[in-house]
Amino acid sequence: MVENKRVFLEEHRIRGNEAGPSQHVTIAAVANILQEAAGNHAVAMWGRSSQGFATDPELVERGLIFVMTRMQIQMHRYPRWGDLVQVETWFQAAGKLGAQREWLLRDKLTGEVLGAATSTWVMINMRTRRPCRMPELVRWKSACFAREPPRLALPSDVTRAKLPAVADPAPLRGNRQVARRADMDMNGHVNNVAYLAWTLEAVPEEVWAGSHLYQVEIDFKAECHAGDVVCSLAQEVPPQEALTHNGAGREPACYVHSLLRGETELVRARTTWRVSDATRGGVAAHGSAAAASNGSAAAASNGSAPHANGNGAH
């Protein structure tokens, strides 16, 4: 830890199993790297509880825990397999119920900022699963580790924006996912990085293969467990204007996403992609084809099976 124990630094070399077909690290692996650094920072501050978690003993006695409700990642450049990166992370209070954690991801050799991220954490009672206020003693101790003055990793004009809902019926659908035992984390539910990976399954192939995922915003709304069946839905929407001046490119592609378990929304997200001219042509063609397909399907459904849409969506 540096800056009087208010900032945590950690190095990480990109592994082969963290890279995709382009040999660049995947966004899911980035999220894992960031969260691993956050966990190690928590261990450095609080040590481990008798249950093995990195948390203040005061919270353990009261049956309280922090849970992440939102995460936002921006990536200017993805490191490649074998690259050495440095993660810088810190946290600060965010209202009476929680805190926020910030990250910067740098190329260790050059110091170049590759990406940045922010997250919101809320304190909940483990028995009732409801939000509650942070105890004053914990707030005071946390302030000893918080960065002064507070610093944001991402500009405030592009964070914590409300995420719109996906239209019903959804124009884009990914393959259904079945939560595996291997997706479970130490808290006994599916790890939030799995949600991120499932969310991207509904992105059109030409965007996925030919574009740079510049930003992902994700709200975590409900828990998921092994064996649950999850449906990934998406819809293209206009991009945030602020992002067009902040690295996303002149005409980025933007999608809102929803993960459903039956009628329950587990996750709502928005992705912004830096699109090449060649890919943009494919996206436009895909949009026209999807609109025609949806129109034909809707007409057929309205004529013969009025409830098929509802059943098929979940």
Side-chain angles (χ1 to χ4, degrees):
M1 293 196 285
V2 298
E3 294 189 21
N4 198 24
K5 297 185 178 181
R6 296 175 186 267
V7 176
F8 183 82
L9 299 178
E10 183 170 273
E11 295 178 8
H12 179 85
R13 190 170 297 279
I14 304 302
R15 305 183 180 98
N17 61 4
E18 296 171 326
S22 68
Q23 297 190 5
H24 290 87
V25 68
T26 66
I27 190 66
V30 169
N32 270 323
I33 292 167
L34 299 181
Q35 291 186 58
E36 182 69 12
N40 291 339
H41 183 200
V43 170
M45 290 187 295
W46 312 116
R48 296 185 187 273
S49 70
S50 57
Q51 290 83 9
F53 296 105
T55 186
D56 188 300
E58 178 79 10
L59 297 182
V60 177
E61 292 179 9
R62 295 173 179 249
L64 304 177
I65 190 173
F66 276 113
V67 296
M68 184 163 61
T69 59
R70 183 179 176 93
M71 189 174 195
Q72 182 171 347
I73 306 173
Q74 274 186 14
M75 289 299 295
H76 308 294
R77 182 172 71 82
Y78 287 86
R80 297 174 65 95
W81 170 41
D83 286 351
L84 184 64
V85 298
Q86 182 185 69
V87 184
E88 176 182 338
T89 185
W90 65 96
F91 77 97
Q92 49 216 17
K96 296 180 179 180
L97 299 182
Q100 62 190 63
R101 176 171 287 279
E102 312 287 316
W103 293 270
L104 290 175
L105 185 67
R106 289 189 172 91
D107 184 306
K108 174 60 179 176
L109 298 181
T110 67
E112 174 193 0
V113 175
L114 304 174
T118 184
S119 60
T120 302
W121 299 71
V122 173
M123 182 158 287
I124 67 168
N125 182 298
M126 294 182 67
R127 182 179 60 83
T128 64
R129 311 302 288 179
R130 297 184 63 84
C132 58
R133 291 194 177 194
M134 191 187 309
E136 286 303 317
L137 177 59
V138 174
R139 184 180 295 276
W140 176 80
K141 287 194 286 187
S142 297
C144 298
F145 292 106
R147 201 165 195 170
E148 284 292 341
R151 179 183 170 190
L152 300 176
L154 292 173
S156 59
D157 63 335
V158 298
T159 60
R160 293 171 177 79
K162 183 177 180 179
L163 304 182
V166 175
D168 184 15
L172 300 168
R173 301 187 182 199
N175 294 327
R176 294 191 182 200
Q177 307 291 323
V178 178
R180 306 169 305 168
R181 295 171 183 169
D183 296 319
M184 304 285 281
D185 63 16
M186 293 186 291
N187 294 311
H189 52 70
V190 170
N191 185 274
N192 51 49
V193 176
Y195 296 126
L196 172 57
W198 296 341
T199 293
L200 300 178
E201 287 298 311
V203 174
E205 179 61 28
E206 60 271 19
V207 175
W208 173 262
S211 304
H212 171 105
L213 178 52
Y214 177 69
Q215 176 172 275
V216 58
E217 307 158 82
I218 184 165
D219 286 344
F220 302 100
K221 295 176 170 289
E223 297 178 352
C224 181
H225 300 89
D228 288 347
V229 178
V230 179
C231 186
S232 179
L233 311 176
Q235 173 188 1
E236 188 169 9
V237 296
Q240 294 173 273
E241 185 176 351
L243 288 182
T244 63
H245 308 292
N246 190 41
R250 182 171 51 87
E251 296 182 11
C254 185
Y255 297 86
V256 290
H257 306 260
S258 181
L259 289 183
L260 297 179
R261 181 192 61 221
E263 299 289 340
T264 302
E265 187 175 38
L266 303 174
V267 157
R268 185 176 297 182
R270 176 166 52 194
T271 58
T272 303
W273 304 73
R274 190 186 299 152
V275 183
S276 67
D277 290 339
T279 303
R280 186 173 292 109
V283 172
H286 176 91
S288 300
S293 174
N294 284 338
S296 301
S301 175
N302 288 336
S304 59
H307 301 298
N309 246 351
N311 295 333
H314 309 120

